[in-house]
Amino acid sequence: MISKKQFVVDNFRGGLNTRDSDNTIANNELSGGQNIGINPNGALVKRKGCALYGNVMGITTGVLGLFEFVNSASTQVNLAVYNTDLYYYNAGVWTSLTQTLTTNLPADGAYNPFTDKFYITNGTDNVVVVTSSASVATDASFKKGNYIIYYQDRLITANVTGNADVVWYTDAGVDTFSANNYFTTEGAITGLETLTDMFLVFTRNKIYKVRNFIFDGVANSQPNSRAEIPTVFGAIYDRTIQKVNNLIYFLAQDHENKTKVMVTNGFTVQDISDKISTTLAGYAANQSVACAGVFGDKYVIALKSSGGTTNDRVLIYDTKLRRWLPEYTGWTPSCFMTAQTSNQPTLYWGDSTTGTVYTAETGDFDELIKTSYSTGSDSGQAITGLTTIRAAQSFQISATQDLTQVGLYLKKNAGTTTELTIRIETDTAGVPSGTLANASATTTITAFADTSYVWKKASFTAFELTADTTYWIVAQHTTEGSGTSSYVWGSDASSPTYTLGSVANYASSTWTADATSDAWFMVFTKGDINGYADTKAFDLGEATRDKKLYKGFLLTDSPGDWNIEWSWTNNLFTGYNTNLLSIAPSSALTWGGGDTWGGDKIWGGSANRKKHEICYPVASSKGQQFKFRIQNKYANETFTLYQITIYYYISNLIK
């Protein structure tokens, strides 16, 4: 006797569960995945990408801090700390505010509505005080804490050099400290945060809450209503402490250096990362550079891989639905910021190794640096107008992708500056060919007067470049043959190490290759987002019976070509079937309109949110479980998967 059965997965609201075995997790949970989101209805979606925000500030360090400053007049200024300076964003450009800071020191910031100023501190330098992008100063008398918050009518700062266990507070309504305005904690302070009618002081192993902010002005006295929250886990790093919907989330490590993500309401502390404990076990034990941000109801945390030095993996926790999403890859954040863009909140992240800021969750692709060179700048390639001198740098990319932007390290040399034309040309005999790589491979850089080297961005209408193929970035004056305009493109002529290209110079109507130099450049491309999700393992019956997958249905939505691939395994230890099934890539509405798989055809279709039928091979599968993987097929295209229905046969004959 043969019976037909089915199982249905109508949502994935449970999110990621890597703690439990593949066959014991709930039907609506995922056993693994990467770059996959789950929408409010529980459907699987490919994650959104990121895009470059402004120009590149430099390549000396990563971004050390990102802040949104909105003053009493509702004027918004987005600020970034990079290398030794403070920058503000205006009309697509990060502009220096000329502050001398110690390099490689992470910065913290807070706004005081009573003074209408924004304060930036790094624990070492004089605190930077910002009134507007046109008014910036330093305050030598302000306590140089590593962390700073505003609470009611005071600024609170903590972990001053030499006094890591001290909390300082300003007098009410001002930014000055009386001599006795401090108290101490047990252990070095690792962060501060406000919460409803209290503020919290974190150490590695303790959390103190302070309510009814009344101090008696006696040195080292304890504030009124200071109490410890019952916990053995404090925060290991301030940048992971984020408030989402009146709860505070933070990264902790136990006494065995096991990483945990915790949440507190100011009274109790709870571990919310238990279901992904095995995932966190694969991260580095020492998360000294971890950081987190907030995007709507989501807590976004970046961590470094085991053996790594910078953050390269991102996890997202949906605080409203209480679920973890699979890992995001491609992002390398050193800090996050949530700010308003066109009256909508936008998540930004600063890069760990360069002065680059990105907007997160903004497109179908990641616009990241694909290849670059920026080591040593002891020479320069001339770009002049009157005598028609051009400069070029060749490069290759490792994967076929769409180019979106290039960055050039330029400065004004002499004359009245004029616009530059930037071209991407093909190669001929080791020099630029004069032929564009694509009709869209030309753009301009507006005239500028910087006499010191700065990174200048040249944006293109995206076009495709082929992997492992030589192309040239060519810089020339837009109006050659007139004027005195002269620029220099910074380069390394003493010990260049870029192996996939070199410099070429154009003079007297001839290109001359120069294999002894490399110009500084960056190439940005539309990086593919390789997203996939693994279901739980389904046991279709007793091991003594034959089981046959019969057919399945997917309820999907995808623009253009159907951007979903489906693979399956009946042995949890051997991986997935490598013959992936493309779900209805044609628009045919009759049987046989789709791809062939296992000798059968699938049902075609082109309407959105369509039910697609899959016919499985009829081979026997006694004693096995089945598990499925859903992933994207086409680069930079979205998809949504609403529901899975699988039919199977079970034979009562005992073999």
Side-chain angles (χ1 to χ4, degrees):
M1 179 179 177
I2 296 177
S3 60
K4 185 173 74 171
K5 298 186 177 183
Q6 73 173 44
F7 63 81
V8 179
V9 179
D10 58 6
N11 70 77
F12 295 91
R13 289 179 179 270
L16 190 64
N17 183 350
T18 61
R19 176 197 63 194
D20 301 322
S21 65
D22 290 353
N23 60 337
T24 61
I25 65 175
N27 282 13
N28 67 352
E29 293 180 329
L30 298 174
S31 63
Q34 175 179 286
N35 296 326
I36 290 290
I38 303 173
N39 72 14
N41 296 320
L44 289 182
V45 295
K46 188 172 74 171
R47 76 159 171 88
K48 292 290 187 179
C50 61
L52 180 66
Y53 181 66
N55 60 309
V56 178
M57 290 173 279
I59 47 79
T60 304
T61 68
V63 179
L64 302 168
L66 280 175
F67 311 102
E68 181 192 40
F69 167 34
V70 181
N71 65 16
S72 60
S74 298
T75 300
Q76 177 182 348
V77 181
N78 289 345
L79 302 166
V81 177
Y82 163 72
N83 195 15
T84 60
D85 208 351
L86 177 66
Y87 290 76
Y88 78 98
Y89 180 85
N90 181 46
V93 177
W94 289 102
T95 301
S96 170
L97 287 170
T98 317
Q99 298 298 311
T100 302
L101 304 171
T102 302
T103 190
N104 278 324
L105 292 180
D108 197 8
Y111 171 64
N112 186 344
F114 279 88
T115 61
D116 202 20
K117 297 175 182 177
F118 196 88
Y119 299 77
I120 297 174
T121 181
N122 62 18
T124 297
D125 299 311
N126 291 337
V127 171
V128 178
V129 183
V130 184
T131 304
S132 68
S133 60
S135 178
V136 183
T138 57
D139 185 348
S141 65
F142 201 101
K143 299 298 180 182
K144 302 174 184 177
N146 281 282
Y147 318 117
I148 187 171
I149 59 171
Y150 170 80
Y151 176 74
Q152 294 182 349
D153 58 349
R154 303 174 189 266
L155 287 170
I156 316 292
T157 190
N159 196 320
V160 177
T161 302
N163 299 111
D165 59 347
V166 175
V167 178
W168 284 90
Y169 54 95
T170 64
D171 292 323
V174 297
D175 56 7
T176 56
F177 299 83
S178 295
N180 296 326
N181 287 18
Y182 68 90
F183 65 91
T184 59
T185 61
E186 183 180 332
I189 297 166
T190 56
L192 304 169
E193 185 56 276
T194 61
L195 183 63
T196 58
D197 63 342
M198 68 185 83
F199 75 91
L200 304 186
V201 182
F202 291 82
T203 70
R204 189 178 180 90
N205 300 311
K206 294 179 180 291
I207 305 174
Y208 299 90
K209 62 180 176 182
V210 183
R211 308 178 74 180
N212 303 321
F213 200 87
I214 301 173
F215 294 84
D216 56 15
V218 178
N220 201 28
S221 70
Q222 304 301 332
N224 185 45
S225 300
R226 172 185 177 273
E228 291 185 22
I229 301 173
T231 180
V232 295
F233 298 111
I236 62 171
Y237 194 41
D238 173 72
R239 285 194 168 173
T240 68
I241 303 170
Q242 294 289 344
K243 182 167 56 179
V244 189
N245 296 332
N246 287 322
L247 293 175
I248 294 179
Y249 298 80
F250 60 95
L251 187 70
Q253 284 179 332
D254 64 17
H255 301 300
E256 297 178 347
N257 280 334
K258 293 181 179 178
T259 301
K260 299 177 180 292
V261 182
M262 315 294 287
V263 61
T264 181
N265 59 3
F267 300 93
T268 60
V269 179
Q270 180 183 355
D271 179 2
I272 60 168
S273 57
D274 188 42
K275 278 193 175 183
I276 60 164
S277 54
T278 55
T279 299
L280 291 176
Y283 287 66
N286 180 17
Q287 291 292 341
S288 58
V289 295
C291 61
V294 179
F295 186 60
D297 294 318
K298 296 181 175 63
Y299 174 75
V300 183
I301 184 166
L303 304 168
K304 61 181 180 180
S305 299
S306 182
T309 57
T310 58
N311 300 320
D312 60 356
R313 302 166 77 179
V314 176
L315 284 168
I316 297 180
Y317 182 70
D318 188 323
T319 66
K320 186 176 182 180
L321 298 177
R322 299 181 182 179
R323 64 191 178 196
W324 285 97
L325 304 185
E327 290 180 304
Y328 281 18
T329 61
W331 299 1
T332 54
S334 59
C335 54
F336 287 96
M337 172 184 74
T338 300
Q340 295 291 318
T341 302
S342 301
N343 296 320
Q344 295 294 323
T346 300
L347 181 66
Y348 302 80
W349 59 269
D351 188 68
S352 295
T353 58
T354 66
T356 312
V357 179
Y358 298 92
T359 57
E361 297 281 325
T362 53
D364 294 330
F365 59 87
D366 281 337
E367 185 180 33
L368 300 172
I369 299 172
K370 182 65 176 178
T371 186
S372 65
Y373 182 72
S374 53
T375 305
S377 182
D378 52 36
S379 184
Q381 310 301 315
I383 309 168
T384 64
L386 181 59
T387 53
T388 311
I389 294 176
R390 305 170 187 169
Q393 170 70 41
S394 56
F395 69 94
Q396 295 182 6
I397 60 175
S398 58
T400 298
Q401 290 181 339
D402 287 353
L403 180 144
T404 59
Q405 304 187 67
V406 296
L408 285 70
Y409 198 49
L410 301 170
K411 69 177 180 180
K412 173 188 174 182
N413 185 47
T416 303
T417 53
T418 58
E419 181 183 81
L420 289 176
T421 291
I422 308 300
R423 295 164 53 92
I424 307 299
E425 298 185 6
T426 57
D427 174 85
T428 180
V431 295
S433 65
T435 300
L436 291 174
N438 183 280
S440 299
T442 179
T443 188
T444 59
I445 293 177
T446 304
F448 61 92
D450 301 82
T451 56
S452 298
Y453 282 118
V454 292
W455 283 99
K456 292 296 180 180
K457 178 178 66 176
S459 300
F460 298 87
T461 300
F463 61 92
E464 186 176 88
L465 294 181
T466 303
D468 304 320
T469 302
T470 297
Y471 296 96
W472 290 86
I473 305 171
V474 178
Q476 64 189 70
H477 277 270
T478 302
T479 54
E480 292 183 322
S482 62
T484 58
S485 182
S486 175
Y487 295 103
V488 175
W489 186 354
S491 63
D492 181 359
S494 60
S495 55
T497 57
Y498 183 67
T499 59
L500 299 177
S502 60
V503 159
N505 298 291
Y506 182 88
S508 302
S509 301
T510 301
W511 280 106
T512 302
D514 180 5
T516 66
S517 296
D518 285 317
W520 283 27
F521 73 96
M522 296 181 181
V523 172
F524 291 80
T525 65
K526 284 185 174 183
D528 296 342
I529 299 175
N530 180 22
Y532 68 89
D534 298 338
T535 70
K536 73 167 292 181
F538 298 94
D539 189 350
L540 305 185
E542 295 83 352
T544 57
R545 297 182 177 184
D546 280 350
K547 299 175 287 294
K548 298 177 182 179
L549 290 177
Y550 169 50
K551 65 173 62 175
F553 293 95
L554 301 182
L555 191 61
T556 68
D557 181 3
S558 179
D561 293 325
W562 294 97
N563 186 29
I564 299 178
E565 290 183 324
W566 176 265
S567 59
W568 64 289
T569 177
N570 57 7
N571 186 332
L572 302 184
F573 303 101
T574 59
Y576 289 89
N577 188 319
T578 56
N579 297 314
L580 297 175
L581 171 65
S582 297
I583 304 302
S586 79
S587 59
L589 294 174
T590 57
W591 179 250
D595 284 354
T596 300
W597 188 56
D600 291 290
K601 297 281 187 176
I602 68 169
W603 199 275
S606 60
N608 285 349
R609 203 154 185 172
K610 193 75 174 179
K611 182 179 285 188
H612 302 283
E613 183 176 8
I614 304 166
C615 290
Y616 290 95
V618 293
S620 175
S621 50
K622 179 174 63 177
Q624 294 172 334
Q625 297 170 325
F626 292 86
K627 184 178 174 182
F628 303 93
R629 169 168 288 186
I630 305 98
Q631 65 189 63
N632 59 290
K633 176 180 179 181
Y634 298 107
N636 307 322
E637 286 192 16
T638 61
F639 69 76
T640 305
L641 174 64
Y642 300 96
Q643 180 179 298
I644 301 172
T645 304
I646 301 297
Y647 292 94
Y648 60 97
Y649 289 131
I650 295 181
S651 171
N652 285 332
L653 296 176
I654 299 177
K655 300 284 184 172

